Amino acid sequence: MADLGEPPDWLRRSLGIEPEQRTVQVDGCEINLLVWGEPGKPGIVLVHGGAAHARWWSPIAPLIGDYRVVALDLSGHGDSGRRPEYEVGSWANEVLAAGESVEADGPPVVVGHSMGGFVAVATAVAGGDRVAGTIVLDSPMVEDDPEVEAARIGAAFGVPKRYPSMDVAISRFRTVPAQDHYDPFILDYVSRHSLRQVGDEWEWKFDPMLFKAISRNAAAEQLPKIGTRVALLRSEFGLVTPEIGQIIYDNLGRVAPVVELPLSGHHMMLDQPLILLTALRALLADWEHSVPVRR
């Protein structure tokens, strides 16, 4: 494997802040949590996309600000337990439990990427005043997320594969959808934490049945039901086109911001993490002292 050299100082410092690891039981399934920040601070829950895991957030989670930040592995992902089948309602319960188990001050803001955006919306609708705000990251809402479509057509997530070494597995790591640019240090970090050892071999952590068994609510139909503050951050080179962004804006009552993240692909935390971090900080700072416009 090629030597990547030294990561930039900001990333080295951020990844050096190791989170507290804990678990919470939700409907008989053990859910893995990573927690940053001091108890008693306002809460933020970070929700990854399909086949991803909590450590996709590690480069930026410690830098969001003076918050109690928790990233969870949804069931069927990362180091969490598996279920016989998966559906958005169960994942929403996991997000609510994560936010309420980490000693935060009040209900959390929920941030969801891609498939996690579907989950964040469902959490806001089901949770009501147990959620303080919802930030959706490049989740198309009006159509299936790319992981589900890739599984449906057989382009990814088929027969589970095992590899003779971690380095071989890392060389096969791919995102769905692919994009033109990744930060090499973050991609290496994320891919290493995507694997588990089984005997002398390595395999991806996510449940291979995840996308075959999944059942979703129609996210677009849920959007008008959200009672919290809400915002959409879409990537310039992502899945949420300006046209889809307009549809989502209309469904949110034309009062929620839809903001483009310049230079970003769909997986913005893997290629433009500081742009994403700046956008999140700006939204959260505004929400701390402003009054939302009611639909």
Side-chain angles (χ1 to χ4, degrees), residues 157-161 208 212:
F157 312 116
V159 178
K161 295 179 181 179
K212 295 180 180 178

Coordinates of all heavy atoms in Angstrom, one line a residue, residues 157-161 208 212:
F157 N -23.2 -4.6 -3.2 CA -23.8 -5.3 -2.0 C -24.4 -6.6 -2.3 O -25.5 -6.9 -1.9 CB -24.9 -4.3 -1.4 CG -24.4 -2.9 -1.2 CD1 -24.9 -1.8 -1.9 CD2 -23.3 -2.7 -0.3 CE1 -24.4 -0.6 -1.7 CE2 -22.8 -1.4 -0.1 CZ -23.4 -0.3 -0.8
G158 N -23.7 -7.4 -3.1 CA -24.2 -8.7 -3.5 C -23.7 -9.8 -2.5 O -23.9 -9.6 -1.3
V159 N -23.1 -10.8 -3.1 CA -22.6 -11.9 -2.2 C -21.5 -11.4 -1.4 O -20.5 -10.7 -1.9 CB -22.1 -13.1 -3.1 CG1 -21.5 -14.2 -2.3 CG2 -23.2 -13.6 -4.0
P160 N -21.5 -11.6 0.0 CA -20.5 -11.1 0.8 C -19.1 -11.6 0.5 O -19.0 -12.8 0.1 CB -20.9 -11.6 2.2 CG -22.4 -11.9 2.1 CD -22.6 -12.3 0.7
K161 N -18.1 -10.7 0.5 CA -16.8 -11.1 0.1 C -15.8 -11.0 1.3 O -16.0 -10.2 2.2 CB -16.3 -10.1 -1.0 CG -17.0 -10.2 -2.3 CD -16.5 -9.2 -3.3 CE -17.3 -9.3 -4.6 NZ -16.8 -8.3 -5.6
P208 N -24.9 -8.0 5.0 CA -25.1 -8.1 3.6 C -26.6 -8.2 3.2 O -27.0 -8.0 2.1 CB -24.4 -9.4 3.2 CG -24.3 -10.2 4.5 CD -24.1 -9.1 5.6
K212 N -31.6 -5.8 1.0 CA -32.6 -6.7 0.5 C -33.8 -6.7 1.3 O -34.9 -6.8 0.9 CB -32.0 -8.1 0.4 CG -30.9 -8.2 -0.6 CD -30.4 -9.7 -0.7 CE -29.2 -9.8 -1.7 NZ -28.7 -11.2 -1.7

